[in-house]
Each structure stands twice: as structure tokens, then as C-alpha cells.
Amino acid sequence: MTPHASKTAVAVLALGLAATGCGGSAAGSGGAAGGDGVLVGLVTKTDDNPFYVKMKEGAQARAEQLGYELRPLAGKGQSDNDSQVQAVENLVAAGAEAILITPSDSKAILPAIDKARAKGVLVLALDSPTDPVSAADGTFATDNYQAGVLIGRWAKETFEGRQARIALLDLSPAQVAVDVQRDQGFLEGFGVDVKDRTRIGDESDPRIAGHEVTDANEEGGRTAMEKLLQKDRGINLVYTINEPAAAGAYEAIKAAGLQDQITVVSVDGGCPGVRDVAGKAIGATSMQFPIKMASDALDAVAAYLKDGTKPAASAGLDFTDTGATLITDQPAPGVPSQDSAWGLKNCWG
């Protein structure tokens, strides 16, 4: 019996249960099930971040092509595990055949994922891996470490002959995998000894002015940058977890009159971020591809429901790499990149 055949009846009978939602923090898409009765859940960290908005749009488009019902739910914030747990539980109760999830907490979500998989639900992580990666049936993501390495290498070449004073604007104190990977990849690309690659903040390099957290949003980026500049106005290189945090950081930098002194680098590839590259607020960013993550994951769901095949990882990795491209209008020797014009044709959000 295929995985699809084993659960379709449950899905049809239980669709109405998901109307309980995920409290006030997560709303379902509603609507009838697809032609073959397949319900697929999508659980993102938030429902207002442009990255997850575009991911949801990509998932919805591919689900419609496949004849599936997509039910999107979201947490209250980048670090809100409780709402994601409730969302997973609601989707399992509704008879979902598969759940795609961007974990807010790569470890705390594991019990909910384990329970879902024990009931025969295919669970695929998007963007942010679980910890360990094997806790999910597959992962579709940017190689976040390499995305960090790209902007680190670009910054190293750009700062050739100059002494860097580095500020790092991270996600949260929780040491979430995507946060750690981008931060540590950037430092490694720049040539900093990161000591333990699985932890943020244990470096002893005197070029590092400090770390602050941003919750990956503009307000957090602005506040974090203000704090760091109060401690050290000699900062001239700023790494940010994502482009909204970079935008907030740049506001603080400009308010301090230091926009000609400080170079900002980031990760995301959203259209506002690419426009910030074109406007010189961001020196370089690593573009990722949320639509591809979602559509590739839906294709993996289709393969699994057909014959039980689970997705294979990319060569040398424990996940399926959906790619990253460096976007900058100041190309650096030996670092492959595209300019902001190319970025604006391929960005999201």
C-alpha cells in the first residue's frame, strides 16, 4: 500500500479539524481539498516576512498544479516554537499527508515532528534544518554556511589592505542552526578562526567589536546597531542575519553619519534588499530562492506519495541545496557574483 493510499481516507474525514487553526497566531488557507484528497501543511516562522510570503506563494502554486490542498500556518515570530508545535499537531489531526516546516527552534520542534512522522506524515524542513537534520524526512534549503562564506570572502577582498572592525547582527540568543551557519560562514570566509563552528560568539579575534541580536527584523537591526555603535564608533564592517536587519542597521548607521565608513553585508536576496545593494546601503548579499525550496519540496511530496521515495541530499551534504548567488555592484576578485540588475530580475518579495 502506498503512503497516499494509507492516509487518504483519514485526510478526507479530518479536514474540518484544522479549522481550529493554531490559536490567534496561525491561520489556515481554507478551501476544499485537491482532486485526490491530499492535504499538505506549510508551517513557517511568521506570515509577514517577505521570504515566507514568497515561499507560501510558491508552495500554493505548485500544490495547485499537483491538485493538492495547501494549508499554510505560521508562528508568531522568528523564535516562536510553541505556535509551530500547535500548527504541526493541528495538521496531523486534520489528516495531512505531508508537512513542510521552517523550524523556529531546530531542536525544540523535534518532539512534534517525531509524533507526526510516527503517524506516517512526511515531514520536510525548508530553509532552516532540524537539529539533527535526520529528524526530518528531507530538507530543502540554502547552504547557509556557504551563503555566509560568500559574503565573507567578498568582504575580505574588499577590505584588502584595510583593518576591519566587525559587528555581527545575529538572529537570537538561541543558537538556531540558520543563525549559526550564516554567522560562522561569514567569519570563516573573512578569515576569522571560528573555533567551534556550531556556536556563535566564542571567537577571540580582536577585529570583532561584538554581537547583538535582531530577531531578523528592521527594528531589531536598528536597535542592535545603535547599541554596537555606542560601544565602538570605529566599526567599519557589519554582518547581518538578513536584509530587513540590514535595513534597520543602515538607518542607525546613517543617523550616526557613518554611512561612508561602514560596509554592510547580508543574506536573503529579497527585492528590497537587492534595491539596497543598488542604492549602496548593502555592499553585498547572498541571494537564496524560497520559491524553489517550496516547489522542489512539493515535488518530493508527490514522489513520496507515488511510491514512498524520499528526497536525496545534494552531493557532500545532508540536505538538498537550492542554491545561493552573491549579489553586488562591486565585484571582488575570485568571488563569483551577479550585479543588482540581475538580482532585480531574480529577486523575491
Side-chain angles (χ1 to χ4, degrees):
M1 182 180 292
T2 66
H4 179 191
S6 67
K7 297 191 65 194
T8 298
V10 176
V12 172
L13 289 171
L15 282 174
L17 293 177
T20 57
C22 188
S25 65
S29 63
D36 56 3
V38 174
L39 174 64
V40 178
L42 173 66
V43 183
T44 54
K45 296 178 185 179
T46 70
D47 58 9
D48 56 359
N49 184 301
F51 183 86
Y52 302 121
V53 170
K54 188 57 64 172
M55 177 181 284
K56 181 171 71 173
E57 290 175 2
Q60 188 68 62
R62 188 64 184 130
E64 288 176 2
Q65 292 172 349
L66 292 167
Y68 300 165
E69 178 194 357
L70 183 81
R71 184 160 296 173
L73 305 174
K76 297 177 181 177
Q78 293 281 344
S79 303
D80 176 28
N81 179 69
D82 291 345
S83 290
Q84 288 200 320
V85 169
Q86 190 176 2
V88 170
E89 291 174 348
N90 287 345
L91 287 165
V92 171
E97 305 269 3
I99 296 173
L100 317 180
I101 183 169
T102 64
S104 291
D105 189 314
S106 301
K107 291 184 178 180
I109 195 65
L110 297 188
I113 288 177
D114 289 344
K115 290 177 183 177
R117 294 179 71 192
K119 291 183 177 295
V121 179
L122 180 75
V123 179
L124 303 177
L126 305 183
D127 182 46
S128 303
T130 54
D131 185 7
V133 175
S134 59
D137 292 298
T139 302
F140 292 81
T142 305
D143 187 336
N144 283 296
Y145 203 89
Q146 287 306 310
V149 167
L150 273 176
I151 53 175
R153 287 177 56 202
W154 178 87
K156 181 179 181 180
E157 292 297 329
T158 301
F159 271 72
E160 183 67 30
R162 288 190 288 157
Q163 182 65 35
R165 188 70 175 149
I166 306 168
L168 296 107
L169 274 57
D170 298 307
L171 169 61
S172 76
Q175 301 279 347
V176 177
V178 63
D179 196 17
V180 173
Q181 291 162 2
R182 292 182 183 182
D183 173 293
Q184 299 289 276
F186 162 75
L187 289 174
E188 182 180 285
F190 195 78
V192 171
D193 179 3
V194 298
K195 298 184 183 293
D196 183 352
R197 283 180 54 168
T198 67
R199 293 204 60 79
I200 289 173
D202 64 346
E203 308 85 19
S204 57
D205 194 301
R207 293 173 291 181
I208 297 177
H211 294 256
E212 286 289 344
V213 299
T214 66
D215 203 29
N217 62 46
E218 190 168 329
E219 181 181 356
R222 182 174 57 252
T223 301
M225 193 73 248
E226 289 170 347
K227 289 179 180 178
L228 287 164
L229 287 175
Q230 286 172 2
K231 297 176 183 177
D232 190 341
R233 286 181 63 87
I235 291 167
N236 58 9
L237 176 59
V238 176
Y239 154 85
T240 65
I241 176 67
N242 67 357
E243 292 157 359
Y250 187 74
E251 288 178 12
I253 290 166
K254 192 172 181 180
L258 297 173
Q259 63 269 30
D260 294 332
Q261 169 184 307
I262 298 177
T263 298
V264 179
V265 296
S266 195
V267 177
D268 255 354
C271 295
V274 175
R275 286 192 288 269
D276 281 344
V277 171
K280 304 188 185 311
I282 296 176
T285 190
S286 286
M287 176 180 282
Q288 50 184 345
F289 303 96
I291 294 176
K292 181 173 174 57
M293 291 179 198
S295 60
D296 286 0
L298 264 296
D299 288 343
V301 171
Y304 175 74
L305 296 182
K306 179 181 178 181
D307 58 18
T309 300
K310 292 186 179 181
S314 299
L317 299 172
D318 54 6
F319 63 94
T320 302
D321 182 10
T322 53
T325 298
L326 185 72
I327 306 297
T328 182
D329 287 334
Q330 306 167 60
V335 187
S337 66
Q338 297 286 351
D339 63 16
S340 61
W342 185 94
L344 288 170
K345 292 178 181 178
N346 292 275
C347 63
W348 45 267

